Amino acid sequence: ALARLERLKLAEAFYPFHLDSRPTAQQTAIFKSINEVQFRYVRAGNRSGKSALAARELTWILQNEHPYWERPKSWGSAPITALVVGKSRQGIETELWSNKLRPFLYNSWKEIRSGNVLQSVENPETGDKLIFLTHADSSDRVIDNLQMYTAHYVWLDEMPRKLRVLEELQNRVSTTNGPFIATFTPKVVNLEVKQFVDAARPPVGARYPLHRLHNPV
């Protein structure tokens, strides 16, 4: 009973280490928009909880607990493949996976490594998989690597150096019509990326500003 209560609290929490935390009104609006907009760009300041927001949404989806979204029938019963694309391998493992994603996941997820580098994690019970990729310097090699996958969900964390990264990652969900979310603070000056994001219009794309007072902690 205590374990079930803990799980129910975790399902409602915004932060896994603060079980009483709840999404703010601004964050809730982004969660609800998953049904109306495919490509969402959370353009936010530091400490606004933008990465925590994407991690919370993705873990809801993996556990079929999203309060505002239902799994599309077109996905059938196939395992979910999600791409988590960050700026560096170290940041992906220590911050995105260890601190933001893993604490929300109930089941035993198997880590798959090459050498000592985390490549992906898989749920042995469902076959669901998180594949970790880096956009790093946005080189041609990096972009070629992004083209290998078809995904049900894509999360791009931090602003890429080249527009092609955005374009290629959006193509990963073109056949599944899955959600795409980008969370970044625009520290890099790139007019192509700025114009691309500024041109987003529902139902295809939309921008969502956040600042630190929109963070429940």
Side-chain angles (χ1 to χ4, degrees), residues 84 88-94 96-98 101-102 109-122 130-134:
V84 177
S88 71
R89 286 285 178 184
Q90 182 178 358
I92 290 170
E93 179 168 356
T94 59
L96 302 187
W97 169 241
S98 298
L101 291 164
R102 183 67 189 92
W109 285 69
K110 179 182 178 182
E111 295 185 354
I112 299 168
R113 296 176 178 270
S114 177
N116 198 35
V117 179
L118 182 66
Q119 303 292 329
S120 62
V121 294
E122 185 171 349
L130 293 178
I131 299 173
F132 301 113
L133 302 167
T134 173

Side-chain angles (χ1 to χ4, degrees), residues 174-193:
S174 61
T175 57
T176 61
N177 291 317
F180 170 97
I181 191 166
T183 55
F184 59 87
T185 300
K187 293 181 178 180
V188 178
V189 178
N190 187 310
L191 290 180
E192 276 193 320
V193 173

Side-chain angles (χ1 to χ4, degrees), residues 35-99:
N35 297 299
E36 287 83 36
V37 179
Q38 184 177 14
F39 302 112
R40 293 167 297 158
Y41 310 99
V42 182
R43 193 162 55 184
N46 286 324
R47 315 312 302 168
S48 60
K50 58 187 182 299
S51 297
L53 180 144
R56 174 68 283 194
E57 179 171 272
L58 178 52
T59 51
W60 269 335
I61 287 174
L62 290 171
Q63 296 176 148
N64 199 28
E65 293 178 340
H66 199 298
Y68 311 109
W69 175 90
E70 291 184 3
R71 179 186 175 115
K73 292 181 179 178
S74 60
W75 288 8
S77 58
I80 291 175
T81 297
L83 304 184
V84 177
V85 188
K87 197 167 185 178
S88 71
R89 286 285 178 184
Q90 182 178 358
I92 290 170
E93 179 168 356
T94 59
E95 189 59 28
L96 302 187
W97 169 241
S98 298
N99 290 340

Side-chain angles (χ1 to χ4, degrees), residues 147-164:
Q147 296 173 345
M148 298 170 56
Y149 303 96
T150 296
H152 298 90
Y153 188 99
V154 171
W155 169 20
L156 169 64
D157 191 59
E158 299 300 345
M159 182 176 166
R161 292 182 177 275
K162 293 182 181 177
L163 177 59
R164 280 189 62 199

Side-chain angles (χ1 to χ4, degrees), residues 25 27 92 143 163 170 173 212 216:
Q27 291 165 337
I92 290 170
I143 292 170
L163 177 59
Q170 291 187 352
V173 292
R212 67 176 58 203

